[in-house]
Amino acid sequence: MAQATMIAPKKTEGRVSLARWLGMIPFFLFALLFILLPSFSLLTGSFLDAEGNLTLKNIIELFVNPTIVNSYRLSIQISAITAVGGGIFGFLLAYTITVGGLPSFFRKALITFSGVASNFAGVPLAFAFVATMGRTGFLTALLDVYVFQRFF
């Protein structure tokens, strides 16, 4: 019977070469330009008034301005309703897939749909809405050309 020999992995020195990090430069530039700098600008700008003086008035307004407070309240209510509704729908869908005794075709289709839907949330979904129905979106452009310009 043949014996299997194990080859020990090469030991690397404690230092990491700079060349290994070269491929990360575009990511770090992207993160700096589109995440860190705008976040820093928003954070510092929230403590400045229109003239550029330091102030806490903007932060206080978040808690005393009725329009802002009502906007937060409405946003939290919408989030809670959609979370509970999504949880119930997801539970029913999972129950149907696992226990429901669906035919194989429907079960596979539901699993595929669930995988696609779970990866198409957040920023991609928001972009899809803006790209489709935004001010210069595809659907908006179609309606403008084929409906509004012809009939109005």
Side-chain angles (χ1 to χ4, degrees), residues 16-30:
V16 177
S17 85
L18 185 61
R20 288 187 173 190
W21 286 93
L22 216 54
M24 293 297 292
I25 289 175
F27 168 75
F28 288 132
L29 282 174
F30 180 84

Side-chain angles (χ1 to χ4, degrees), residues 8-69:
K10 290 183 179 180
K11 292 185 179 181
T12 58
E13 295 180 21
R15 291 180 270 141
V16 177
S17 85
L18 185 61
R20 288 187 173 190
W21 286 93
L22 216 54
M24 293 297 292
I25 289 175
F27 168 75
F28 288 132
L29 282 174
F30 180 84
L32 178 72
L33 293 174
F34 296 104
I35 298 173
L36 297 176
L37 289 179
S39 297
F40 182 73
S41 175
L42 285 172
L43 180 68
T44 57
S46 67
F47 292 101
L48 300 175
D49 62 10
E51 290 81 34
N53 302 318
L54 284 174
T55 183
L56 289 175
K57 183 178 182 237
N58 299 333
I59 306 303
I60 294 169
E61 282 289 313
L62 294 174
F63 302 102
V64 297
N65 186 330
T67 304
I68 295 174
V69 172

Side-chain angles (χ1 to χ4, degrees), residues 56-132:
L56 289 175
K57 183 178 182 237
N58 299 333
I59 306 303
I60 294 169
E61 282 289 313
L62 294 174
F63 302 102
V64 297
N65 186 330
T67 304
I68 295 174
V69 172
N70 288 334
S71 297
Y72 274 120
R73 184 177 296 121
L74 180 62
S75 179
I76 291 169
Q77 288 172 345
I78 291 171
S79 298
I81 290 168
T82 56
V84 169
I88 291 170
F89 177 73
F91 170 77
L92 293 174
L93 192 63
Y95 182 82
T96 302
I97 290 171
T98 56
V99 182
L102 288 174
S104 176
F105 171 78
F106 287 122
R107 187 170 185 264
K108 289 178 183 178
L110 275 176
I111 290 172
T112 302
F113 168 75
S114 298
V116 170
S118 68
N119 288 309
F120 192 67
V123 174
L125 181 61
F127 174 74
F129 275 115
V130 170
T132 305

Side-chain angles (χ1 to χ4, degrees), residues 132 134-149:
T132 305
R135 186 177 198 133
T136 59
F138 181 71
L139 184 62
T140 307
L142 283 178
L143 288 173
D144 185 41
V145 170
Y146 292 108
V147 177
F148 298 124
Q149 287 182 4

